[in-house]
Amino acid sequence: MSLTKASYSMVNGAPINVLDHGAVGDGVADDTNAIQNALTYAASLNGCIVFFPPGVYKCDGVLTLPGTPSGISIEGSGRDNTGLSSSRIVYSGTAAAFFSLPLLNTRFISIDNISFESTNVAFTGRLVRLNVFNLSISRCDFRAANDQAFALLDISQSVGVKISTSYFRLGQYCIYGVGMTTVLINECNIGSHGSFGVWLDGSQGVTIQSCALQESQTQEESNCIRAVNMQGLTVTGCWAGDVITDAGSPASYQITFSGDGLNVTGNYLNGDGFNKQTSILIIAASQG
């Protein structure tokens, strides 16, 4: 059964459909105001779904989920950016953050089956920035136009995070997180042509499992995973490779770690590049 606007409401209990708020999804019209109206309405309700039917939702301006909402699910119909049934939110601007939930008291937010993309080569900010208690991201794509974007997904200060079966491409940092607690990154494809696939700082209880981390390329230090000031990092069942640096670049590593409690098991680490010295760098004074 195809999920048209009407049938989707019947099956899932009347979600908030962005088309009902004026979005067009043709990749030409600016859908910023329509989507923002839908998000603002959802934030006033709590415990609801914001649904994006198949389409390309072009946004010239930024989006935010205002206040401190709880129980909001943002859902699309597919993440394949070449498929007719996909839901793509495409940002054309250069603001510091495109889609954001800036307040830490936001709780129980999920994002599923949708793509976030930046098409402006001058964009140097964060594509998606989420500060959430209990955050779930699944089956999503995050892409920038080049490696000038600071971060595709910034989840700093979030608690109780699960990111699964999602795809990250380009940007200086694919996943960026400072001060997080209890994070699982599972079955994701994480490729950065900037500096880092996953950047972690001052976080606790982070697990990265069954992920492919690849294609870091930069004039500076390059890492698939860089985790500093940590209290517990587990990397298991992952493939990390193709860390390529230029002849004049500093040394690069698949995993850089400092802190307490590192567990690296069952991974395949494949190095390449001029200054590749070691796969795992453990900084002095680390323990456990």
Side-chain angles (χ1 to χ4, degrees), residues 111-133:
I111 303 176
D112 181 57
N113 217 21
I114 199 165
S115 294
F116 292 87
E117 305 170 34
S118 168
T119 58
N120 194 324
V121 296
F123 176 62
T124 59
R126 291 160 167 83
L127 183 61
V128 177
R129 183 181 64 185
L130 308 172
N131 307 117
V132 178
F133 286 99

Side-chain angles (χ1 to χ4, degrees), residues 95-177:
F98 166 52
F99 183 90
S100 62
L101 284 70
L103 297 179
L104 188 58
N105 288 329
T106 305
R107 297 174 179 270
F108 300 104
I109 303 297
S110 66
I111 303 176
D112 181 57
N113 217 21
I114 199 165
S115 294
F116 292 87
E117 305 170 34
S118 168
T119 58
N120 194 324
V121 296
F123 176 62
T124 59
R126 291 160 167 83
L127 183 61
V128 177
R129 183 181 64 185
L130 308 172
N131 307 117
V132 178
F133 286 99
N134 296 294
L135 170 66
S136 174
I137 296 173
S138 61
R139 301 185 296 173
C140 290
D141 279 7
F142 300 83
R143 301 170 184 259
N146 55 30
D147 62 3
Q148 298 305 305
F150 178 80
L152 300 182
L153 176 62
D154 183 347
I155 50 174
S156 295
Q157 308 303 322
S158 293
V159 177
V161 178
K162 182 178 180 180
I163 304 170
S164 60
T165 56
S166 293
Y167 189 93
F168 300 81
R169 184 64 66 210
L170 291 171
Q172 296 180 47
Y173 305 88
C174 287
I175 300 175
Y176 179 89

Side-chain angles (χ1 to χ4, degrees), residues 169-226:
R169 184 64 66 210
L170 291 171
Q172 296 180 47
Y173 305 88
C174 287
I175 300 175
Y176 179 89
V178 178
M180 302 178 301
T181 302
T182 314
V183 178
L184 172 62
I185 303 172
N186 180 55
E187 294 184 349
C188 292
N189 188 303
I190 303 169
S192 172
H193 286 267
S195 297
F196 304 96
V198 179
W199 168 282
L200 306 168
D201 189 351
S203 298
Q204 304 179 49
V206 178
T207 297
I208 302 172
Q209 68 181 24
S210 304
C211 292
L213 303 110
Q214 58 185 328
E215 297 180 0
S216 296
Q217 183 171 302
T218 181
Q219 295 292 329
E220 301 177 355
E221 185 178 5
S222 176
N223 285 228
C224 289
I225 301 170
R226 181 175 175 87

